[in-house]
Amino acid sequence: MDLEPEIWDIGYLIASILFILGLKKLGHPRTAPTGNLYGASGMLVAVVVTVAQMNFGDGIEGTVLIPAGLIAGGIIGYTMAVRVQMTGVPEMVALFNGFGGAASALVAASEVFRMINNGTIPTDWLTFHVAWIAIGLSTLVGWMTLTGSLLAMMKLKGGFEIFGKWYRTPTWGPEWLNYVKGIFLIGIVGLIYMSLEEPGNQDYVIGIIVLSCILGLLFVLPIGGADMPVVVSLLNSLSGVAAAFTGFIISNNVLIIAGSMVGAAGLVLTNIMCKAMNRRLIDVLFKSFGGTDKETVTRTKVGSDPDEVAMICDGISKCVIIPGYGMAVSQCQHQVREFADILEANGCEVKYGIHPVAGRMPGHMNVLLAEANVPYEKLIEMDDINSEMGECDVALVVGANDTVNPVARSGEGPLAGMPIIDADKARVVVMVKRSLSVGYAGVDNDLFYEDKTMMLFGDGKKMMTELISSMKEL
Amino acid sequence: MELVTLIAAITIFALAIFLGFELITKVPPTLHTPLMSGANAISGITIVGALFASNIASDSGNYPLAAWLGFAALVLATINVVGGFAVTNRMLNMIAGKRRGK
């Protein structure tokens, strides 16, 4: 029996099945490494099947560009993945995500420019409309994902360097910016429509690319650093959608399956994170939150010094450490671990209370603490640790604020109803924080001013180091 | 393109979306970042499109820029795929290592 080349598509089915199983297994701690392996194998199958069914032309393109691209991309990607510090992972996921979106958009660009310049625009009504609409949408979503991800990456870093000068990433978004975004979107849809009317005109495609790039920036610009987990997760979903649209352009099912599956899964993850913050996705994306009119802090609190805290911590039997974004910024997870070791050597039980949205990526704290060799079993999720907070002697809050703010229980203000870690139920609360300033939500924290609260004002790494040396001197 | 092909593609698209929604419903927070990173690597499947686009021979009268755009897409997609799976693996090993080493 002579087999048609389409028989290779069976390989794509195998790849799709591997992706489905991989994604499924990635959701459970025990099977996650296998899941990742399945995903990678699926990708290998897809690449091999694609190359195997190709007819290489006479030119250099296929035979040189394909190995060159695979080797160059492979080396760059692998080096980045191996070299990156665990604290830099969120930025890198954002960057990879942008690359994925850009790749889909570039495939769309390659297809459309080729067809226009070769004069091979499909004449059949259906083929033409499907191709051109898919190209328009893939271009829109892909370029948006690239510029949005790059901006999100800069926001995660906190700023960027130009000629040795450090600039903070701006966060700016008045109410009217939403209408501007709407106008851009309408403009892009209009351009897609016009490109259908006049398919030979490249200018429309270039117009879509430019507007989409700007739209991606405008989309992320108003969203503050603390909401970046939600944004990166949403952009992850978008890069999947871009891949799915690209699948429609080249009529390839594995792109459609993997792309739309990641698109949906990314959306689920985005929702999980929004729920943990007690916010709606719509609000995160379109309402400037906190940022503008923060409460001015009028109350004062005398700071404590590490010696005092060390004395309190001497001989306690239970301590819960609650890390937050501040720990990620000052990268003091190793010092936190060392402090915990000292307490444990003195017979104290130490646990870590992990708020679901602490940090800037879901699971950010887990990754940081894992890097500092903190055993997995000691990282306790919010609901479980809260039942133990009553019997806790010292709650050490390292660089967290909104996630332990008791006002969230009172049902008023922006934090109302957000689940928090009940640090205030501990006998003594020690907070390592740079100042009394408000957190991301722009709400003052009553916990600072309670009598049982000791504030250690300063950079997380510096204060934890001093605290450790004070403990050793006791 | 036949209408039946398009409908088949849209059917696959819609079903895969539902599948994606069902696949991950309960995920422990520890796995959120690895899952995001792994899913992101899978969305690098666009590498297949990039491979096709890179294989457009310019001397058979094709527009030369098309192949180079495909090449750029191929490099970026490969970075996304290789880097994505590698970094996910690193994160998962670390978590798993911590569990075993108790």
Side-chain angles (χ1 to χ4, degrees), chain A residues 17-205:
Chain A
I17 292 170
L18 285 168
F19 290 148
I20 294 168
L21 292 175
L23 208 53
K24 170 115 189 125
K25 284 179 186 290
L26 270 170
H28 302 277
R30 204 155 304 156
T31 54
T34 327
N36 193 44
L37 202 64
Y38 277 33
S41 320
M43 200 58 78
L44 190 66
V45 170
V47 169
V48 169
V49 164
T50 308
V51 175
Q53 68 175 309
M54 272 182 178
N55 296 316
F56 290 102
D58 303 325
I60 59 147
E61 275 71 16
T63 39
V64 174
L65 290 189
I66 288 176
L70 287 174
I71 292 169
I75 291 174
I76 297 171
Y78 187 75
T79 316
M80 285 172 77
V82 174
R83 286 248 180 106
V84 71
Q85 292 270 314
M86 269 303 140
T87 44
V89 165
E91 284 106 290
M92 216 176 55
V93 173
L95 183 67
F96 284 161
N97 190 46
F99 284 176
S104 294
L106 283 169
V107 172
S110 167
E111 289 290 313
V112 73
F113 289 135
R114 180 176 62 85
M115 286 194 271
I116 289 177
N117 287 287
N118 286 0
T120 49
I121 299 167
T123 43
D124 166 45
W125 189 91
L126 187 68
T127 313
F128 166 71
H129 276 77
V130 170
W132 248 242
I133 292 172
I135 285 168
L137 292 176
S138 170
T139 306
L140 162 65
V141 182
W143 291 112
M144 230 183 106
T145 307
L146 173 69
T147 56
S149 297
L150 290 179
L151 185 58
M153 184 189 80
M154 309 247 208
K155 286 203 178 205
L156 285 166
K157 272 193 183 154
F160 46 91
E161 220 179 79
I162 301 174
F163 301 120
K165 208 170 166 228
W166 182 255
Y167 293 93
R168 265 180 69 97
T169 318
T171 296
W172 175 79
E175 189 74 32
W176 55 263
L177 198 66
N178 287 328
Y179 299 106
V180 176
K181 287 182 246 173
I183 292 166
F184 267 83
L185 196 60
I186 294 168
I188 293 166
V189 173
L191 282 172
I192 295 176
Y193 179 75
M194 283 193 277
S195 73
L196 289 173
E197 298 287 300
E198 204 186 324
N201 195 337
Q202 287 189 18
D203 296 347
Y204 293 131
V205 181

Side-chain angles (χ1 to χ4, degrees), chain A residues 29 36 39 54-55 59 61-62 81-82 84 97 100 104 110 114 117-118 127 239 257 260 264 268 362 370 373 376 381, chain B residues 1 12 16-17 21 24 29-33 40-41 43 46 51 55-56 58-59 62-63 66-67 80 85 89-90 98-99:
Chain A
N36 193 44
M54 272 182 178
N55 296 316
E61 275 71 16
V82 174
V84 71
N97 190 46
S104 294
S110 167
R114 180 176 62 85
N117 287 287
N118 286 0
T127 313
S239 73
I257 294 172
S260 47
V268 173
N373 293 319
Y376 181 80
E381 286 177 32
Chain B
M1 182 186 276
I12 290 172
I17 288 176
F21 279 128
I24 54 161
T30 334
L31 285 179
H32 283 176
T33 304
N40 176 42
S43 74
T46 200
L51 285 168
N55 189 33
I56 296 163
S58 61
D59 38 0
N62 274 301
Y63 181 59
N80 184 6
F85 283 122
N89 191 44
R90 246 185 91 189
K98 297 299 144 326
R99 314 189 98 204

Side-chain angles (χ1 to χ4, degrees), chain B residues 15-81:
Chain B
L15 290 180
I17 288 176
F18 278 104
L19 183 61
F21 279 128
E22 294 303 318
L23 269 183
I24 54 161
T25 38
K26 269 191 208 150
V27 181
T30 334
L31 285 179
H32 283 176
T33 304
L35 176 65
M36 189 192 280
S37 172
N40 176 42
I42 292 176
S43 74
I45 185 63
T46 200
I47 192 173
V48 169
L51 285 168
F52 282 121
S54 306
N55 189 33
I56 296 163
S58 61
D59 38 0
S60 21
N62 274 301
Y63 181 59
L65 184 63
W68 289 106
L69 286 172
F71 177 69
L74 181 59
V75 174
L76 292 182
T78 313
I79 294 177
N80 184 6
V81 167

